[in-house]
């Protein structure tokens, strides 16, 4: 039987140098999973608080999703949007209904990057402009276009682009020049900066602002509630579209809301989704107001977008999330997690901040009592948790943030187990 270390060698030999497994020197394999747990090839068990980057959202081998995928695989796996298919149309209707966007239209894609590419195509066509705003510390994908709106230099592989992009202050408060201001003053300072960017750098007629309500790869950086609502007032006055990238924040993960944008008192012109909605099956897309979606006149088509297999997984996942009020569970379990964890790590001098919402929690590591990033501590924390049987992720501008994102249906016992492991690892690091 193949061992994990053999697999690591084969991985390194066949994949690009810029692709790397977590836990660099001692990566783990995932052979199978059940609910919130996974097992490696050697049979070691881990509690999964990352879900392959927030993508296995309601548990591994979730019976409803597995049954829906198996039944659909036995019927037809792919048809494309050239043909009608009940699963594909029904999922689009269901997503339109929960999107909160009036007169919504849905376009399915195969990845979050392709969804954001599509949103940019729509916005730049609708507004007849290549000028785009994005937030500092953003990540929107690995495609050529979405790299141009990513402002996270360790994840940005090229600056070549046909877009004219300006980056706006505000998503990442801890390292903002305005960090010492209170919520309202912080928001106002960022809005003033936005107005100045528009006045000073734009050639009029900006197409859109694209933003993650909570920055995912950026380390679950969370602006004050209402932040994007205030920004939107400025955008609206200049007919600039607002795109909410909900790839990580969607489907109730933030607990208080179903979508991240809802913390801000604003309805976006478009939202993009991916990751969790297929519970691991590739499914992504864009929801837009009809007049924005229908702006393209040429025929367009995404071969894998909305294929019946992915649509069946998506329908089963969404139904389970709604029927079982997993947004409510995210709120309750997120609160339990923070209530238990925060006092245990409150006085640790190398933790600058614990932040996030619901079941999106981040720990930012720094050199003692400073804001100087300490990536080695984040590595030690993630690796130490793994050694103790808990999978968490990493991220952040300097690779100095540990990201924790349990399944939306995580149990109290699992939350408590996760907290115990994190607290023990923090204590061991010292
Ligand atoms: N937007 C956000 C907020 C993301 O976190 C990601 C993936 N990490 C993407 C877009 C890109 O999604 P994909 O990897 O499916 O292309």
């Amino acid at each position: 039987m193949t061992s994990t270390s053999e697999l690591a060698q084969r991985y390194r030999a066949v994949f690009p140098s810029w692709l790397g497994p977590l836990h660099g020197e001692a990566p783990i394999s995932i052979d199978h999973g059940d609910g919130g747990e996974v097992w490696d090839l050697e049979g070691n068990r881990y509690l999964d608080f990352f879900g392959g980057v927030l993508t296995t959202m309601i548990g591994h081998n979730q019976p409803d999703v597995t049954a829906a995928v198996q039944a659909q695989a036995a019927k037809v796996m792919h048809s494309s949007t050239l043909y009608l298919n009940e699963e594909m149309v029904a999922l689009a209707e269901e997503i339109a209904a929960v999107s909160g966007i009036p007169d919504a239209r849905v376009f399915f894609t195969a990845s979050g990057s392709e969804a954001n590419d599509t949103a940019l195509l729509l916005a730049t066509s609708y507004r007849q402009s290549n000028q785009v705003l994005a937030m500092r510390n953003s990540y929107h994908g690995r495609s050529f276009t979405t790299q141009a709106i990513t402002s996270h230099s360790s994840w940005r592989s090229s600056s070549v682009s046909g877009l004219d992009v300006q980056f706006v202050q505000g998503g990442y408060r801890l390292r903002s020049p305005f960090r010492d201001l209170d919520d309202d003053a912080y928001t106002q300072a960022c809005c003033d900066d936005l107005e100045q960017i528009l006045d000073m750098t734009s050639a009029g007629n900006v197409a859109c602002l694209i933003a993650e309500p909570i920055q995912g790869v950026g380390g679950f950086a969370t602006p004050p509630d209402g932040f994007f609502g205030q920004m939107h007032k400025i955008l609206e006055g200049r007919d600039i579209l607002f795109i909410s990238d909900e790839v990580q924040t969607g489907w109730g993960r933030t607990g208080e809301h179903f979508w991240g944008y809802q913390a801000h008192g604003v309805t976006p012109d478009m939202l993009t989704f991916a990751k969790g909605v297929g519970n691991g099956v590739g499914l992504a897309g864009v929801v837009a107001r009809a007049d924005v979606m229908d702006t393209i006149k040429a025929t367009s088509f995404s071969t894998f977008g909305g294929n019946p297999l992915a649509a069946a997984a998506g329908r089963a996942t969404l139904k389970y999330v709604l029927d079982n009020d997993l947004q409510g569970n995210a709120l309750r379990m997120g609160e339990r997690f923070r209530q238990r964890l925060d006092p245990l790590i409150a006085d640790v001098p190398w933790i600058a901040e614990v932040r996030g919402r619901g079941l999106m929690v981040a720990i930012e590591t720094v050199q003692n009592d400073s804001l100087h990033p300490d990536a080695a501590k984040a590595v030690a924390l993630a690796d130490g948790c793994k050694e103790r049987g808990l999978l968490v992720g990493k991220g952040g501008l300097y690779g100095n943030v540990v990201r924790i994102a349990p399944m939306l249906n995580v149990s109290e016992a699992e939350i408590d187990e996760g907290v115990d492991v994190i607290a023990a690892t923090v204590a061991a690091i010292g």
Side-chain angles (χ1 to χ4, degrees), residues 96 99-107 122-123 125-126 241 267-271 286-297:
S99 71
I101 293 181
D103 197 19
R105 299 290 185 275
V106 178
F107 179 73
L122 294 172
S125 303
Y126 186 82
L241 300 177
T267 303
D269 300 289
M270 285 184 250
L271 69 79
V286 187
V287 187
R289 278 184 357 230
D291 61 323
V292 175
M293 185 67 93
D294 294 342
T295 196
I296 295 178
K297 299 301 170 221

Side-chain angles (χ1 to χ4, degrees), residues 53 111-114 116 139-141 212 217 245 247-248 274-275:
V53 199
S111 72
S113 302
E114 192 193 348
N116 284 333
Y139 180 85
H140 293 291
E212 301 154 89
V217 171
D245 178 339
V247 166
Q248 298 211 11
K275 290 198 188 284

